[in-house]
Amino acid sequence: MKATAIAPSNIAFTKYWGKKDEVLRLPENGSISMCLSNLLTTTTVEFSPDFKKDEIIINGVDEAGRAIEHLDRVRKLANIDLKAKVVSNNNFPSGTGLSSSASGFAALTLAAAKAAGLNLSEKDLSILARQGAGSACRSIPSGFVEWLDGDTSDTSFAVQIFPPDYWAIADVVAVVSEGKKEVPTSAGHALAQSSPFMPVRLGRMKGKNDLVKRLIKEKNFKEFGELTEAEALELHSIMLTQKPHLIYWTTGTLQIMKLVSHWRAGGLPVYFTVNTGQDIHLICEQENIDKVRAKLKELDFVKDIIVNTPGEGARLVVK
Amino acid sequence: MKATAIAPSNIAFTKYWGKKDEVLRLPENGSISMCLSNLLTTTTVEFSPDFKKDEIIINGVDEAGRAIEHLDRVRKLANIDLKAKVVSNNNFPSGTGLSSSASGFAALTLAAAKAAGLNLSEKDLSILARQGAGSACRSIPSGFVEWLDGDTSDTSFAVQIFPPDYWAIADVVAVVSEGKKEVPTSAGHALAQSSPFMPVRLGRMKGKNDLVKRLIKEKNFKEFGELTEAEALELHSIMLTQKPHLIYWTTGTLQIMKLVSHWRAGGLPVYFTVNTGQDIHLICEQENIDKVRAKLKELDFVKDIIVNTPGEGARLVVK
């Protein structure tokens, strides 16, 4: 009753912000993302009658609460009552906008389900992962992914729209972290509706998602990049106009956002997107990875550069 | 036929962004501001038959275009055909978000009108100043000012709502300039309607202006500060979601925006507002000026601190 899973973080081209059901983590809108090949969480779960209580070791820190709630969901599905030991490691910083909760809860979902003896479909794994952390549902399938806009738990899950090798684009992450973000994502989510602009945003999301899917299908990088960047700024405009306002950018984020426009004006096709944190994702075609990396290397405040291509979803590690 | 005028910049608590008439500079919405006691432009205008062409000397730089167009308006009103010499100096940086066009065109309006022999009312001066630079109309009256939401040139002007000594608040400006802004305000204005959120904003402005006036009247500093800060972020959210997007903040702006929240959490009642530029205005009660200044002095990237109280509007200098 022990299993290890690896799951990727994902980068959303259209964002998840605001929930229509807090408990079930049903988002206000569907979203489109890509699994990231090099932002990974590896998680081992073991259930045993020898354990007296759940033990959760996340990157060496015990962050028990949400993980234990998630184990409870798995135990309920598997109809078992055993305590578990969970050991989880990220190969990247957490709490800085790289969506470690997505990779973390996707890996936990798959490892725990397997260790509990469940044999779940990709759809059921995605539904289960979503209940741990919304965007984790997008880290179950591989490649380019859509989180369907369902109104019930059974219809709110992620599916692959294109496999990883469909389109040779990349996400070059610039780590500019100056410590963890001050406001956890989940606290900000709950106040999305306090922005006067939220109804306008929600009215636009279906059309925006349809357009992103078409642009990926057509491999129209310019329009795809423009839409991705505008969507990130729209998300952050919602957060800036919430009560209280949320500012996730740091000086490094802002500098790179402005530099990207200059680099583009200089002939390098690259666009940014930013999640709820300071680290910034630069989207480019794979042929331009070296150029983007070279630009970032010139910046002394960039602490790390992580190059991602469209990656595999959550998978078991067979030892 | 020579006159000198001094006019203040002003800080808008509710902002002017977007025009319903480009040529007449009629704004999409009314706005509320305060004249600033220590951000001043001094302008001397002389009309003479000896001059062969208009000569415009603005802080030593010849920026002829808009100023000459404005002289033409004055010449038309006065029915004269003389060329002019204009010498204008700001006591503060221009093109960094301190609204030098407001003080500049207010001073030019008053000095040119007087030099041309016109005897205009405050209302007529405000209407004339508006045609040079929209927010200049708010720098004609003294103290707390409302730019009325008129649909015609004759009804779009600024009036005093409270005199300078009505409320002892201050605007402590932090100069964080790293050079002039990349996009002139007027270019950004023209694209306001490209933000999907602009219609929502416009639908809220009348109520917001009524509320600001009431909060000033009641001297309710906390709610006034909250509204001012939220309005600044709403303005910048519009600019972030325009096509192309506009980012006027620099790293210094962003750092102070975040610090203000911390200072407030620490018990200092201070709020920020930002115009179309990087320099940032900290609004506080006058009894807290020294505390705000001390906080800013700790920041090595703050190049200058300019303390303003509610100031006089445009006035002639009699030598």
Side-chain angles (χ1 to χ4, degrees):
Chain A
M1 299 196 77
K2 182 173 178 179
T4 298
I6 295 180
S9 179
N10 65 74
I11 183 64
F13 304 122
T14 57
K15 306 293 189 182
Y16 157 46
W17 193 245
K19 298 170 199 169
K20 54 190 168 201
D21 188 306
E22 281 284 332
V23 175
L24 291 173
R25 296 182 192 273
L26 300 180
E28 287 280 10
N29 56 270
S31 50
I32 312 282
S33 64
M34 175 178 103
C35 287
L36 298 174
S37 59
N38 283 319
L39 294 181
L40 302 169
T41 298
T42 304
T43 300
T44 299
V45 177
E46 181 177 9
F47 289 103
S48 167
D50 297 342
F51 301 151
K52 299 294 175 235
K53 64 182 186 70
D54 292 320
E55 184 184 7
I56 316 287
I57 302 169
I58 301 174
N59 265 358
V61 183
D62 190 304
E63 295 182 16
R66 272 170 76 181
I68 290 176
E69 284 175 27
H70 204 54
L71 290 172
D72 288 341
R73 291 185 190 101
V74 173
R75 281 187 281 247
K76 192 174 171 189
L77 278 174
N79 199 23
I80 61 174
D81 197 22
L82 301 173
K83 297 299 178 189
K85 180 177 180 184
V86 174
V87 179
S88 183
N89 284 291
N90 298 331
N91 72 343
F92 63 96
S94 65
T96 66
L98 298 179
S99 306
S100 55
S101 64
S103 53
F105 276 90
L108 177 63
T109 298
L110 181 56
K114 179 71 179 174
L118 291 167
N119 193 8
L120 300 180
S121 66
E122 183 177 279
K123 172 182 166 180
D124 287 339
L125 285 167
S126 184
I127 289 170
L128 185 55
R130 190 204 73 230
Q131 295 170 72
S135 58
C137 78
R138 292 190 310 231
S139 289
I140 299 291
S142 294
F144 298 87
V145 167
E146 177 174 13
W147 182 358
L148 302 171
D149 182 20
D151 283 331
T152 62
S153 190
D154 284 352
T155 54
S156 181
F157 59 94
V159 296
Q160 182 181 93
I161 49 176
F162 297 101
D165 61 359
Y166 180 75
W167 195 16
I169 63 171
D171 175 359
V172 182
V173 168
V175 175
V176 297
S177 314
E178 301 160 17
K180 289 203 180 193
K181 51 196 174 195
E182 295 173 13
V183 181
T185 301
S186 50
H189 258 297
L191 294 166
Q193 294 293 353
S194 68
S195 165
F197 298 146
M198 192 64 178
V200 174
R201 170 170 171 76
L202 293 181
R204 291 157 49 81
M205 290 311 293
K206 182 171 184 315
K208 200 183 279 201
N209 282 329
D210 289 345
L211 182 55
V212 172
K213 281 189 279 187
R214 180 164 71 73
L215 295 173
I216 295 173
K217 185 180 181 188
E218 296 171 356
K219 302 178 187 175
N220 181 338
F221 185 70
K222 181 171 185 291
E223 287 185 38
F224 170 79
E226 288 171 355
L227 191 151
T228 296
E229 200 170 285
E231 160 67 1
L233 290 168
E234 185 175 302
L235 169 76
H236 285 268
S237 292
I238 295 293
M239 297 191 292
L240 288 173
T241 51
Q242 290 185 194
K243 292 180 199 354
H245 67 258
L246 284 178
I247 304 177
Y248 281 114
W249 302 337
T250 61
T251 58
T253 324
L254 182 67
Q255 286 177 81
I256 294 177
M257 285 167 55
K258 296 172 90 164
L259 283 168
V260 163
S261 293
H262 286 276
W263 296 340
R264 213 156 52 219
L268 179 60
V270 57
Y271 298 85
F272 68 77
T273 182
V274 189
N275 290 334
T276 55
Q278 64 263 51
D279 292 339
I280 178 164
H281 299 254
L282 302 193
I283 309 298
C284 66
E285 291 156 300
Q286 287 179 17
E287 65 198 44
N288 289 317
I289 289 174
D290 288 346
K291 287 180 186 166
V292 171
R293 185 163 36 194
K295 292 286 191 192
L296 290 173
K297 278 198 172 172
E298 290 170 14
L299 308 175
D300 57 10
F301 58 87
V302 173
K303 299 192 173 75
D304 198 8
I305 301 168
I306 305 167
V307 175
N308 297 277
T309 53
E312 278 184 69
R315 62 271 189 189
L316 289 167
V317 177
V318 182
K319 290 186 180 165
Chain B
M1 298 196 77
K2 182 174 178 178
T4 297
I6 294 180
S9 179
N10 65 75
I11 182 65
F13 304 123
T14 56
K15 305 294 189 181
Y16 156 45
W17 193 244
K19 299 169 199 172
K20 54 190 167 199
D21 187 305
E22 281 284 333
V23 175
L24 290 173
R25 298 183 190 273
L26 301 180
E28 288 281 11
N29 56 271
S31 49
I32 312 282
S33 64
M34 174 177 103
C35 288
L36 298 173
S37 60
N38 283 319
L39 294 181
L40 301 170
T41 299
T42 304
T43 300
T44 299
V45 177
E46 181 177 8
F47 290 103
S48 168
D50 298 340
F51 300 151
K52 300 293 176 234
K53 63 182 187 69
D54 291 321
E55 184 184 6
I56 315 288
I57 302 168
I58 300 174
N59 265 358
V61 183
D62 191 305
E63 295 183 15
R66 272 170 77 182
I68 290 176
E69 284 175 27
H70 204 55
L71 290 173
D72 288 341
R73 290 185 191 100
V74 174
R75 281 187 280 246
K76 191 175 172 190
L77 279 175
N79 200 22
I80 61 173
D81 196 23
L82 302 172
K83 298 299 178 188
K85 180 176 180 184
V86 175
V87 179
S88 183
N89 285 289
N90 298 330
N91 72 343
F92 62 96
S94 65
T96 65
L98 298 180
S99 306
S100 55
S101 64
S103 54
F105 277 90
L108 177 62
T109 298
L110 181 55
K114 180 69 179 176
L118 291 168
N119 193 8
L120 300 180
S121 66
E122 183 178 278
K123 172 182 167 180
D124 287 340
L125 285 167
S126 184
I127 289 170
L128 184 56
R130 190 205 72 228
Q131 296 170 70
S135 57
C137 77
R138 293 189 310 231
S139 289
I140 299 290
S142 295
F144 297 88
V145 167
E146 177 175 13
W147 183 356
L148 302 170
D149 183 21
D151 285 329
T152 62
S153 189
D154 283 352
T155 55
S156 181
F157 59 94
V159 296
Q160 182 182 94
I161 49 177
F162 296 100
D165 61 358
Y166 180 75
W167 195 15
I169 64 171
D171 174 0
V172 182
V173 168
V175 175
V176 296
S177 314
E178 300 161 18
K180 289 205 180 192
K181 51 196 174 195
E182 295 173 14
V183 181
T185 301
S186 50
H189 257 297
L191 294 165
Q193 293 293 353
S194 68
S195 166
F197 298 146
M198 192 63 178
V200 174
R201 169 170 172 75
L202 293 181
R204 292 157 47 82
M205 289 311 293
K206 180 168 186 317
K208 201 184 278 201
N209 282 329
D210 289 345
L211 182 54
V212 172
K213 282 189 281 187
R214 181 165 69 74
L215 294 172
I216 294 173
K217 185 180 180 189
E218 295 171 356
K219 303 178 187 176
N220 181 337
F221 185 70
K222 181 170 185 289
E223 287 186 36
F224 170 78
E226 288 171 355
L227 191 152
T228 296
E229 201 170 284
E231 160 67 0
L233 290 168
E234 185 175 301
L235 169 76
H236 285 269
S237 293
I238 296 294
M239 298 190 292
L240 288 172
T241 51
Q242 290 184 196
K243 295 184 194 358
H245 67 259
L246 285 177
I247 304 178
Y248 281 115
W249 303 337
T250 62
T251 57
T253 324
L254 183 66
Q255 287 177 81
I256 294 177
M257 284 166 55
K258 296 172 89 164
L259 283 169
V260 163
S261 293
H262 285 276
W263 296 340
R264 213 157 51 220
L268 179 61
V270 57
Y271 298 85
F272 67 76
T273 182
V274 188
N275 290 332
T276 55
Q278 65 263 51
D279 292 339
I280 178 164
H281 300 252
L282 302 192
I283 310 298
C284 65
E285 292 156 300
Q286 288 178 17
E287 66 198 45
N288 288 317
I289 289 174
D290 289 345
K291 287 180 187 164
V292 171
R293 184 162 38 194
K295 292 286 191 192
L296 290 173
K297 278 197 172 173
E298 289 171 15
L299 307 175
D300 56 11
F301 57 88
V302 173
K303 299 191 174 74
D304 198 7
I305 301 167
I306 305 167
V307 175
N308 297 278
T309 52
E312 277 184 70
R315 62 270 190 189
L316 289 167
V317 177
V318 182
K319 289 185 182 167

